[in-house]
Amino acid sequence: MRYDVIVIGAGIVGVSVALHLQAAGRSVILVDKVGAAGTGTSYGNAGLVERASIIPYAFPRALSEIIRYGLNRSADAHYHASFLPRIAPFLFSYWRNSSPLRLAEAARDLLPLFEASVSEHDAFLNDSPNAAALFSRRGWIKAFHNGDALAAAVSDAEALASFGLTWEAMDSNGLAQIEPYVRNMAGAIHWKDPITALDPGAVTAAYADLFILRGGSLKAADAMGLRQEGTLWRVSAGNEVVCAREAVVAAGPWSADILGRLGYRFPLAVKRGYHMHYSLEAGTTLTHPLLDATTGYVLAPMAKGVRLTTGVEIAPRDARPTPVQLDRAEAAALRIFPLGKRVDPEPWMGFRPVFADMRPAIGKISGSDGLWAAFGHGHHGFTLGPATGRLLAEMICGRKPFVNPVPYSPTRFRGQVKS
């Protein structure tokens, strides 16, 4: 079966690329290993379209923070000690790129994508018959256990005045006005620009439904067999072979594996994370996603109940789950909110694909005609998926990109070309 473009990966990024290419008049097939959209990383996140995240998640630089994380007892970070020798080069590069100067450069490069995050989601929501009802426009809350941490966060927010973000600082009484069942917090910052999803996996599936409604095709395929024959890219989808002149690899944490089989080497790492859903005790409510910034977890109202999402686990991608962070975060969460019983039979584990320079890879991969990248968004794949889809579609179609694509170029990595 012949198409203009094969898009590999039916997470939020791949679905968004497919939708934008389709809107540009290209015939597109979307393939995924399970043949369904929104079942991986796009399912398990906190559901934030994070317009307010101007500064990327950086590696800790203060000695006190490094010591705290080194003790491996925190809820917001956990590591497998046996994995550290293998991941050390990445962590060192991540630490170097988190210097104040380099972090500011990364923030500047990512800013145009974040500025377009909500509007690009809205463009899909306007046409999707199912997705709009899954979103709230109340923003989210960053809460603190002590006044000093709150004051520092307010100073940081004031320093972002030039970015035009809307926020409100509140003490414990103000927090109680909008979240009456949250307790034992000194205060919070209410970020009002982001939109939030009640089921991010269902949002991704709804966007995929829009793609199919417009004539697109979504099939199960083993993308590890992607190959180029002549001028065409081919992949097996069941008993069929689909081919196209262009192929987009948007498979999140598996993207480097797919490209590795083609001879490419990308320094992609994976931050693991967990979530669990909880019932609400009778009569209680939670109406905003809430980050306990002191401890490092998020409580988010979802269709299945309250979702608790953890911080970062540094471990081999395919190692067995070790959700010790979830237990620590749950104990902390019960001190500030009356969580009910666990809903899921076991913790969900997902993977955040990330590069040490904190920028995704979006653009043409050198060395092979018609091969494109759209992966490595770290904590912000759900936020940046639609904006990434627009940018890459414009590049593939030879149109003027709406933002400068150079900072995201896959060619910025040494050894990216075929070995």
Side-chain angles (χ1 to χ4, degrees):
M1 300 184 67
R2 178 77 177 267
Y3 298 85
D4 294 328
V5 187
I6 300 169
V7 177
I8 297 169
I12 187 66
V13 175
V15 171
S16 297
V17 171
L19 272 168
H20 277 287
L21 285 168
Q22 184 184 58
R26 300 297 176 97
S27 62
V28 183
I29 183 167
L30 180 63
V31 300
D32 189 271
K33 61 184 178 181
V34 300
T39 63
T41 305
S42 296
Y43 165 78
N45 57 74
L48 305 182
V49 179
E50 229 319 47
R51 169 66 182 88
S53 268
I54 303 301
I55 309 299
Y57 289 95
F59 194 92
R61 302 280 296 185
L63 181 59
S64 59
E65 287 187 309
I66 293 174
I67 292 173
R68 180 171 72 87
Y69 289 126
L71 294 174
N72 212 18
R73 299 172 184 169
S74 67
D76 55 340
H78 177 70
Y79 62 86
H80 289 194
S82 61
F83 186 55
L84 290 183
R86 290 168 52 191
I87 197 68
F90 170 84
L91 294 178
F92 178 67
S93 181
Y94 188 14
W95 176 81
R96 291 183 67 242
N97 280 288
S98 298
S99 69
L101 178 60
R102 294 186 179 188
L103 185 62
E105 291 173 349
R108 183 188 65 235
D109 290 342
L110 288 165
L111 179 62
L113 291 180
F114 281 107
E115 288 180 328
S117 60
V118 173
S119 61
E120 289 301 322
H121 269 277
D122 280 344
F124 291 164
L125 296 179
N126 290 336
D127 295 330
S128 172
N130 302 318
L134 295 170
F135 277 95
S136 165
R137 297 185 181 271
R138 298 187 182 98
W140 67 279
I141 295 169
K142 186 174 185 178
F144 299 87
H145 286 234
N146 63 76
D148 290 342
L150 174 61
V154 169
S155 295
D156 291 342
E158 290 172 341
L160 302 177
S162 62
F163 298 110
L165 300 173
T166 306
W167 56 276
E168 178 184 0
M170 58 189 72
D171 60 15
S172 58
N173 292 327
L175 177 58
Q177 291 296 314
I178 61 173
E179 291 295 354
Y181 296 97
V182 174
R183 57 183 184 262
N184 298 326
M185 304 301 278
I189 293 178
H190 181 192
W191 294 99
K192 300 184 178 182
D193 299 287
I195 59 176
T196 64
L198 294 173
D199 188 335
V203 169
T204 304
Y207 291 172
D209 289 342
L210 178 62
F211 169 71
I212 293 168
L213 182 66
R214 291 173 171 176
S217 181
L218 169 59
K219 293 182 179 291
D222 180 10
M224 294 298 175
L226 178 69
R227 64 195 185 277
Q228 188 177 32
E229 295 180 4
T231 60
L232 296 178
W233 290 97
R234 300 175 184 270
V235 68
S236 296
N239 295 324
E240 301 173 335
V241 174
V242 296
C243 59
R245 293 186 65 87
E246 314 273 358
V248 177
V249 178
W254 293 274
S255 297
D257 292 4
I258 295 168
L259 291 167
R261 289 177 175 242
L262 297 171
Y264 295 94
R265 299 292 178 264
F266 281 89
L268 187 72
V270 169
K271 297 178 179 179
R272 305 203 315 181
Y274 301 87
H275 84 223
M276 173 60 67
H277 290 100
Y278 300 81
S279 62
L280 280 169
E281 290 191 353
T284 62
T285 59
L286 182 70
T287 56
H288 303 77
L290 183 142
L291 167 65
D292 179 345
T294 304
T295 309
Y297 62 88
V298 174
L299 295 176
M302 293 279 171
K304 288 183 66 175
V306 174
R307 177 181 290 182
L308 188 159
T309 65
T310 72
V312 170
E313 182 179 59
I314 304 300
R317 184 192 63 194
D318 300 325
R320 65 177 181 83
T322 52
V324 296
Q325 291 168 281
L326 185 65
D327 295 334
R328 294 168 181 167
E330 179 183 296
L334 285 169
R335 291 192 287 269
I336 72 163
F337 186 81
L339 289 174
K341 294 181 179 180
R342 289 188 173 192
V343 173
D344 306 315
E346 60 184 21
W348 178 90
M349 182 178 74
F351 316 100
R352 307 173 181 103
V354 61
F355 291 108
D357 67 358
M358 294 165 281
R359 301 162 177 85
I362 307 171
K364 193 174 188 301
I365 298 173
S366 63
S368 294
D369 291 337
L371 187 60
W372 302 81
F375 58 90
H377 293 75
H379 295 255
H380 295 299
F382 190 71
T383 292
L384 300 179
T388 295
R390 176 182 172 184
L391 173 60
L392 190 64
E394 289 169 344
M395 297 172 71
I396 291 173
C397 296
R399 300 178 178 177
K400 183 179 180 181
F402 81 104
V403 300
N404 177 17
V406 172
Y408 325 121
S409 173
T411 62
R412 71 186 189 270
F413 303 111
R414 292 183 180 180
Q416 174 267 318
V417 296
K418 283 187 176 182
S419 57

